[in-house]
Amino acid sequence: MAPLGNTAKSSPTSEIQERARLKRAERYEGLAVARYWLYRHVQRVDPARNPGDVYRTHDCRYVRRQRQVEVKVSSETNVAHYAGLATCGSVWACPICAAVIQQKRRAELTKLIQWAYASGYVPAMVTFTAPHTAFDSLADLKAKMTDAFTRLRRGNSWDLFRKRCGFDGLVRSTEVTYGQNGWHPHTHEIWLIKGMSQFDQAGFVQFVKERWAKACMASGLLKSDDMIKRWHFGIHAVDVRFGITDSDYLAKQDASRAWGVDHEMASQSAKKAGPKGVHPHEFLIRREKGDGARFMEYIHAMKGASQLFWSRGLKAWVGIDDVADDEAASDETPPDEVSRVLGAMSPEQWSLVRKLHKRAQLLEAAEIGGWDAVLSLLYSLGWSPYE
Ligand SMILES: [Zn+2]
């Protein structure tokens, strides 16, 4: 037994743990690159300003919010995380906050699907895409898609459709990937429908497809005289699956968000940016020519957009508290777990860790060898208690 501090339970590392640690290390590397790119951008456009005031991600998990930086471990999984640091809460700009928020949102979506079936709904997953080329800016595509969604869901025929299929609400997840044909914004929606017996599924799909085509033509995403694009559009632009499970939906989201280690394992060829492309956080790791500018374009275009949209009143209906992204990101304790403090670092110790890019490695040490291992790491980084 170690005389001081708490010692983490040590157990042989499973392959899953190993992979989770690799991914976390990659996210911290990504966050360090984001910090540098954001700094460089502010230097170029407005050097008098403090980068952390312009982009909160610049300071995320780097700047202290209290004197000591705590290392905490979660009760069930023994996963370590920091407390007492600034967090940015951006799903778009920050690979770490995105992962923390996503973990919490997954629990909410699972709850929604369970609630839906228990309440007699048939949840359907509806995926919308729109044509795009390498010359389209993301901001332009996003504005046109927002316009197309407004058009999709207004007017008498939509209201009638809603009534006929008992449409009572939706959750929309907005995803962006980047590939051969440039930016590819798309959405995965869960529709809550009740009473499909009055409406055949083929008719339902046909209606949504036709309506989406009209909406895209009106918003400038699809040209009415481009027959080849229209033919592709007819096949790919709308995908509907009835009676989905939560894992169907989450897997679809994951497919758009895969980047880094898992991405590499899942498909070597996907790395080469096929038609579906890569998640923008991949820019932070692969760092190809132009990726820095693409990352900035992405975060500027998506700033303020909500990644997950719930139709009005739905959260309350399901019994889910409305927790904003920045609040969700500020506490890394996984859903349904509690964390305990393993130990705390002085400002000097933390300066050393962040300067030497050891943020991920320190968490790993805490998980494997408890606070003793954290101290050993700090000594090996050159920290001395006698200075
Ligand atoms: Zn962040």
Side-chain angles (χ1 to χ4, degrees):
M1 262 313 246
L4 288 170
N6 297 307
T7 304
K9 286 171 269 179
S10 72
S11 52
T13 311
S14 71
E15 209 174 299
I16 295 168
Q17 271 176 320
E18 187 60 37
R19 198 175 340 155
R21 282 175 188 155
L22 278 170
K23 285 181 82 168
R24 179 176 61 197
E26 210 162 37
R27 285 190 201 108
Y28 269 104
E29 180 192 334
L31 181 56
V33 173
R35 179 179 159 86
Y36 174 68
W37 283 352
L38 296 169
Y39 163 82
R40 194 178 60 179
H41 182 78
V42 173
Q43 281 294 304
R44 205 176 295 148
V45 300
D46 200 357
R49 293 195 68 189
N50 175 8
D53 294 339
V54 187
Y55 301 104
R56 289 176 70 189
T57 304
H58 178 269
D59 288 351
C60 185
R61 291 170 170 84
Y62 196 92
V63 171
R64 285 179 295 109
R65 279 283 167 264
Q66 59 191 44
R67 189 175 151 74
Q68 293 202 309
V69 176
E70 289 172 339
V71 177
K72 289 183 158 186
V73 286
S74 56
S75 54
E76 298 294 315
T77 47
N78 193 44
V79 172
H81 61 266
Y82 295 112
L85 295 171
T87 52
C88 73
S90 171
V91 288
W92 310 114
C94 180
I96 303 265
C97 287
V100 176
I101 294 164
Q102 191 185 351
Q103 188 182 38
K104 297 192 176 169
R105 301 301 181 216
R106 290 173 83 93
E108 293 175 354
L109 290 167
T110 297
K111 197 169 173 188
L112 168 75
I113 302 277
Q114 282 168 354
W115 174 89
Y117 280 111
S119 310
Y121 287 99
V122 176
M125 173 162 64
V126 187
T127 299
F128 292 99
T129 61
H132 54 90
T133 70
F135 305 105
D136 295 317
S137 77
L138 179 58
D140 188 42
L141 283 172
K142 181 175 158 272
K144 284 177 177 163
M145 271 189 98
T146 304
D147 179 52
F149 277 120
T150 308
R151 292 170 188 277
L152 178 81
R153 285 185 244 274
R154 75 173 175 215
N156 291 338
S157 58
W158 174 256
D159 288 342
L160 193 66
F161 168 77
R162 276 183 69 145
K163 277 197 194 106
R164 284 187 68 196
C165 63
F167 176 102
D168 272 339
L170 69 85
V171 172
R172 177 191 311 135
S173 169
T174 300
E175 311 288 338
V176 179
T177 52
Y178 183 86
Q180 283 162 350
N181 296 320
W183 297 104
H184 174 51
H186 55 285
T187 62
H188 303 302
E189 303 190 348
I190 297 173
W191 289 13
L192 297 179
I193 46 187
K194 201 182 237 176
M196 275 300 287
S197 51
Q198 297 165 40
F199 208 140
D200 72 293
Q201 294 190 349
F204 178 103
V205 175
Q206 193 57 27
F207 176 86
V208 177
K209 276 190 174 177
E210 279 170 16
R211 225 172 140 82
W212 182 237
K214 270 187 202 156
C216 286
M217 281 189 263
S219 66
L221 284 165
L222 180 65
K223 287 197 183 77
S224 56
D225 57 355
D226 189 337
M227 294 322 280
I228 295 172
K229 271 219 171 121
R230 281 188 69 176
W231 181 77
H232 276 283
F233 188 93
I235 295 169
H236 301 292
V238 177
D239 180 68
V240 184
R241 288 173 63 186
F242 295 96
I244 54 150
T245 64
D246 56 339
S247 43
D248 291 335
Y249 188 70
L250 296 170
K252 196 88 174 176
Q253 284 194 330
D254 288 347
S256 313
R257 290 180 196 174
W259 63 281
V261 180
D262 256 9
H263 190 121
E264 190 110 48
M265 289 178 181
S267 141
Q268 293 289 346
S269 59
K271 196 98 181 170
K272 293 193 185 74
K276 290 223 161 133
V278 297
H279 186 281
H281 289 171
E282 185 82 38
F283 299 152
L284 298 163
I285 298 299
R286 68 171 198 186
R287 303 194 284 274
E288 285 176 7
K289 195 172 186 300
D291 278 350
R294 283 181 203 112
F295 180 75
M296 293 310 299
E297 182 186 354
Y298 168 67
I299 65 168
H300 288 150
M302 302 313 289
K303 191 177 185 324
S306 53
Q307 196 278 315
L308 211 55
F309 166 83
W310 292 61
S311 56
R312 205 185 311 150
L314 183 58
K315 266 193 183 172
W317 221 13
V318 180
I320 292 170
D321 292 335
D322 203 0
V323 179
D325 281 351
D326 49 358
E327 201 189 322
S330 67
D331 180 6
E332 283 190 49
T333 307
D336 303 321
E337 291 195 43
V338 288
S339 337
R340 65 186 171 91
V341 178
L342 194 67
M345 279 180 281
S346 67
E348 295 73 29
Q349 288 172 326
W350 177 246
S351 294
L352 207 56
V353 171
R354 67 184 196 186
K355 190 175 81 189
L356 298 174
H357 299 288
K358 300 294 179 190
R359 288 179 291 184
Q361 202 182 320
L362 189 136
L363 295 175
E364 200 171 316
E367 287 163 2
I368 295 168
W371 193 246
D372 289 346
V374 171
L375 289 176
S376 304
L377 175 66
L378 290 170
Y379 287 130
S380 78
L381 299 180
W383 175 73
S384 153
Y386 305 113
E387 274 168 19

